[in-house]
Amino acid sequence: MVTESPDVTSYDAELLDRAESLRSDAELMDEYARRLRATADTLAGCPAAPEWSRPTLERQAAACATAAEQLRTAAEVLRTHAAAGD
């Protein structure tokens, strides 16, 4: 029995599209991290801000930065995989 392999080119294009989406998401996560840090800095000078707010915002900013790095890594893996299909 002979089976045909799927059109690798269309899969490669889809992988490249997904990789680009991941890179865009990484940029968004970097922007969220920046905003969270800016908010933490603003609240540092505000006596009415709860003590927990700045450390919490900084932890969330760090988590966003980590997510951005992981998204970029995933995008690169997809790009490499798509290139290997050529």
Side-chain angles (χ1 to χ4, degrees):
M1 179 171 165
V2 176
T3 59
E4 292 184 31
S5 57
D7 182 10
V8 175
T9 305
S10 67
Y11 289 131
D12 292 344
E14 185 177 345
L15 288 177
L16 291 173
D17 287 345
R18 296 290 180 175
E20 186 55 38
S21 292
L22 290 172
R23 289 178 62 75
S24 293
D25 290 345
E27 290 175 17
L28 284 172
M29 295 306 289
D30 280 336
E31 177 60 19
Y32 297 148
R34 187 196 65 73
R35 289 181 187 182
L36 287 163
R37 287 186 185 106
T39 301
D41 290 344
T42 299
L43 291 178
C46 179
E51 289 181 27
W52 55 262
S53 62
R54 184 172 180 160
T56 299
L57 290 167
E58 289 175 352
R59 281 192 304 274
Q60 290 301 311
C64 288
T66 298
E69 182 179 325
Q70 291 171 342
L71 287 165
R72 282 190 188 88
T73 299
E76 189 58 35
V77 169
L78 285 178
R79 290 179 58 78
T80 300
H81 185 71
D86 292 338

